[in-house]
Amino acid sequence: MRRHASRSFAAAGTAVLIVLALALPAPAQISKLTNLDLCNGKDRSSPDPQIRGCTALIKSDKNPQVLAVAFNNRGNALAAAGEYELAIRDYSESIKLNPSYAKPLNNRGVAYQKKGDFDLAMKDFEAAINVEPNYPSAIANRGEVFLKQGDYPRALKDFDAALKLAPDLGVVWNERCWVRAVTGELQGALTDCNEAIRLEPNLAAGFDSRGLTHMKLGHWDLAIADYNAALRLDHDLPSALYGRGLARLKTGSQAAGRADIAAAKRGDQKIAEQFARYGLQ
């Protein structure tokens, strides 16, 4: 049901490299500054330019601090391309070069999380928080692991802490909304979802979670409206299709409801039992 959760607050932003190339001859200066811009993520057309720029810097620079950032940034680009094993290798190299650098610890945890290795992910998030106790992304990511493990109290505690540090993290507002909806804190869930949607109105996740909240409140028409909004942004999101199907059945639209439920099951065979665990069937 939580298909959208994995996009979350996972990968931290690219760290900015500052390299002084002024002592180099002019052509080499230009080349190095170009690679610097690419490794910093200037060209967002695809992960490839960042990978090329970081690779060139890694081959040409000997400063451990520069190399640590370049490996982290290349890891981010590789992760964006779905190359999680290669990303983990780069993050590990960054950590080896600078063990007090929290970003690659967090980002390696995200890569492990994407691969479904939640134990290793948790270790990295804990390590990142030990290095930088007020690191909101790492705290939120640890909360996401707790959520996947079904430990809602500790997930909520981490989401609370992350939002105190970084109240503009729309994905975290969404995750806290969803946990509150599942655990029955429905008015708090609505408040959180409204904030998630305000911050990130073009993401299906917030509408999907608010739809779940309205379902648990018995607000069938409002749930349908939210699921419609979610499906405009993510056309085949199983949770939104299944939730809309249930809400349509509740309002008497039997054929449309059954069609939505069938479509949801084609996308996720376990969707019905997932909703049943939350008291909706």
Side-chain angles (χ1 to χ4, degrees):
M1 179 174 172
R2 301 295 292 156
R3 189 180 85 180
H4 59 260
S6 61
R7 71 151 295 280
S8 69
F9 26 84
T14 294
V16 175
L17 272 160
I18 300 173
V19 179
L20 296 178
L22 300 180
L24 297 172
Q29 250 189 71
I30 293 169
S31 176
K32 190 161 191 176
L33 290 173
T34 298
N35 291 327
L36 176 66
D37 283 342
L38 291 174
C39 191
N40 280 337
K42 183 177 182 180
D43 184 342
R44 299 289 184 181
S45 59
S46 76
D48 293 338
Q50 188 172 24
I51 293 170
R52 288 198 305 272
C54 291
T55 300
L57 284 176
I58 289 165
K59 288 179 178 178
S60 65
D61 209 291
K62 299 187 183 301
N63 184 321
Q65 303 303 311
V66 171
L67 290 173
V69 177
F71 275 111
N72 173 73
N73 289 2
R74 191 172 71 175
N76 285 347
L78 289 164
E83 298 285 355
Y84 299 120
E85 288 292 351
L86 293 176
I88 288 167
R89 192 181 304 169
D90 272 358
Y91 294 140
S92 297
E93 191 63 33
S94 178
I95 294 162
K96 190 186 305 181
L97 287 160
N98 185 359
S100 64
Y101 186 21
K103 277 185 185 294
L105 285 164
N106 175 67
N107 292 340
R108 189 174 68 179
V110 171
Y112 282 131
Q113 190 178 44
K114 295 282 190 181
K115 286 168 54 61
D117 196 332
F118 300 120
D119 290 339
L120 288 176
M122 179 65 84
K123 287 179 182 177
D124 275 347
F125 297 144
E126 293 278 8
I129 293 165
N130 286 337
V131 169
E132 191 175 325
N134 292 326
Y135 189 177
S137 292
I139 294 168
N141 285 330
R142 184 178 65 181
E144 182 70 13
V145 176
F146 285 136
L147 173 57
K148 290 181 184 298
Q149 293 172 338
D151 191 339
Y152 297 139
R154 284 202 282 184
L156 281 173
K157 184 178 179 181
D158 273 350
F159 295 152
D160 289 344
L163 288 171
K164 285 179 183 176
L165 292 166
D168 60 342
L169 288 175
V171 177
V172 185
W173 285 100
N174 171 65
E175 292 300 274
R176 194 173 73 174
C177 164
W178 189 85
V179 175
R180 284 178 161 175
V182 168
T183 57
E185 296 180 46
L186 300 178
Q187 293 306 317
L190 280 180
T191 299
D192 284 353
C193 271
N194 288 341
E195 184 64 9
I197 291 166
R198 185 187 72 81
L199 289 166
E200 299 196 67
N202 295 319
L203 292 177
F207 294 103
D208 182 54
S209 296
R210 194 170 68 181
L212 174 70
T213 307
H214 283 307
M215 287 287 289
K216 296 202 73 172
L217 285 164
H219 300 162
W220 315 124
D221 290 334
L222 290 174
I224 289 169
D226 274 338
Y227 287 133
N228 284 340
L231 289 164
R232 281 194 291 272
L233 295 163
D234 188 345
H235 302 297
D236 61 350
L237 184 61
S239 53
L241 283 167
Y242 195 86
R244 188 176 69 178
L246 287 182
R248 282 174 163 175
L249 292 178
K250 296 289 187 182
T251 59
S253 299
Q254 299 297 313
R258 287 194 296 270
D260 276 347
I261 288 171
K265 288 179 177 178
R266 287 194 293 273
D268 183 349
Q269 294 180 355
K270 296 183 178 180
I271 194 71
E273 62 187 74
Q274 290 169 352
F275 265 81
R277 284 201 298 269
Y278 309 132
L280 295 169
Q281 51 189 322

